[in-house]
Amino acid sequence: MYLDPAIRDWVLFPIMIVMVLVGVLRHHATQLMSSMPKSDLKGVRETQALMRGRLLRSLGAFDIPYPAFQARKQYLTTQFATTNYIKSPNQTGPPNPMADPAGMEMMMEGMKKNMVMLVPQTVIMSWITFFFSGFVLIKLPFPLTVRFKAMLQRGVETFDMDVTWVSSLSWYFLNLFGLKSIYTLILGEDNAADGTKDMAQMQMNPMQQPQQDMSKIFQSEKEFLDLADHQSVLVGVEERLLAKYGRTIGG
């Protein structure tokens, strides 16, 4: 089979260039539509309290003296037994994500990103299907098995064509999932041009994620702190230092 060079100039390259430009526009549109996350003081206080308890149980707490460790342990266990650090102390049962402003804002951000991804991809696919349906654009330089035929020759219903030929619609999907390196080169590592990440996020419904009962988490952390023991690394540090250099106290 022989391909007309005009197909390369007027179909192959234009599809790739359009998809790159749409990815760049999607990146900038996502940045414009994204809002700064609002800090929830009670939520931050709740998270930081749990982090303080875990740090006190870690090996890093062995650097503080034993009285300081006991004072911190007594304070945190007393506070964790109450509802002082819980964001919603009067809540019974799992929290309702629809009543949480932070959860609703996260859902709106996800909907914005999905809209920015779906609308351009729908337009591009309709454009390719309408103008370039049935076009064969390129031949891959390496052999493939017959199982790749359905993936590489979408829109071309032939059984005798070699599997290495790629149709226009398959070229669109190859660009959709294969332009990540180009976007990274143009926009940097953290970019929103790659639509595959948004497609993966669409499969995850935040309404179906399990909600945590913070009262049980604080109670569990209190029990861990009650069992925590302290062995200060400062005990006998003078003797260890002198023994390292072959000296003794008073010698």
Side-chain angles (χ1 to χ4, degrees):
M1 183 183 293
Y2 175 76
L3 289 181
D4 191 343
I7 295 180
R8 175 197 60 196
D9 300 335
W10 297 101
V11 182
L12 180 70
F13 288 157
I15 291 177
M16 183 176 179
I17 294 173
V18 166
M19 294 199 65
V20 172
L21 294 178
V22 168
V24 174
L25 291 177
R26 185 193 304 119
H27 169 73
H28 292 291
T30 302
Q31 287 186 334
L32 291 175
M33 296 179 66
S34 299
S35 58
M36 294 295 295
K38 299 179 181 179
S39 299
D40 187 2
L41 181 60
K42 293 183 178 180
V44 172
R45 186 169 179 261
E46 182 181 70
T47 305
Q48 293 298 320
L50 288 174
M51 187 178 298
R52 287 180 60 189
R54 290 165 184 168
L55 288 176
L56 191 62
R57 295 188 288 110
S58 65
L59 296 177
F62 293 170
D63 295 338
I64 62 177
Y66 181 76
F69 175 83
Q70 284 297 114
R72 288 170 171 80
K73 176 180 176 180
Q74 181 64 30
Y75 173 76
L76 289 177
T77 52
T78 303
Q79 295 297 322
F80 288 175
T82 63
T83 58
N84 294 338
Y85 281 116
I86 299 180
K87 179 181 177 180
S88 302
N90 298 325
Q91 182 176 354
T92 58
N96 183 11
M98 296 297 295
D100 188 7
M104 294 296 296
E105 184 176 357
M106 186 180 301
M107 292 175 57
M108 290 299 298
E109 288 294 326
M111 293 176 63
K112 291 179 183 178
K113 292 180 180 180
N114 292 336
M115 182 186 68
V116 174
M117 188 273 297
L118 285 176
V119 173
Q121 297 302 334
T122 304
V123 174
I124 293 176
M125 183 178 289
S126 301
W127 169 61
I128 294 175
T129 304
F130 184 78
F131 287 100
F132 308 122
S133 179
F135 278 61
V136 178
L137 306 184
I138 190 174
K139 183 178 182 181
L140 299 178
F142 46 86
L144 294 172
T145 61
V146 183
R147 295 185 177 182
F148 288 91
K149 187 177 182 65
M151 181 179 67
L152 297 178
Q153 297 179 2
R154 290 178 178 269
V156 180
E157 302 297 336
T158 56
F159 297 98
D160 55 347
M161 184 184 297
D162 189 11
V163 70
T164 56
W165 293 100
V166 181
S167 65
S168 58
L169 192 57
S170 297
W171 178 245
Y172 159 76
F173 286 108
L174 290 177
N175 283 274
L176 178 63
F177 295 101
L179 290 177
K180 183 177 180 180
S181 300
I182 304 297
Y183 294 144
T184 303
L185 182 63
I186 298 175
L187 303 171
E189 289 289 342
D190 190 13
N191 62 80
D194 188 11
T196 56
K197 295 186 296 185
D198 297 328
M199 292 174 65
Q201 292 177 359
M202 290 177 61
Q203 305 297 328
M204 300 174 58
N205 187 357
M207 300 296 296
Q208 297 177 355
Q209 297 179 359
Q211 302 294 329
Q212 297 177 335
D213 190 351
M214 297 308 298
S215 60
K216 294 181 180 179
I217 295 177
F218 274 99
Q219 183 62 32
S220 176
E221 187 64 31
K222 174 185 176 299
E223 295 175 358
F224 287 141
L225 282 175
D226 289 334
L227 298 175
D229 192 13
H230 181 267
Q231 296 178 357
S232 177
V233 296
L234 301 178
V235 176
V237 64
E238 298 88 352
E239 291 81 358
R240 295 198 304 270
L241 180 61
L242 293 174
K244 180 179 179 180
Y245 294 99
R247 300 295 183 87
T248 58
I249 298 178

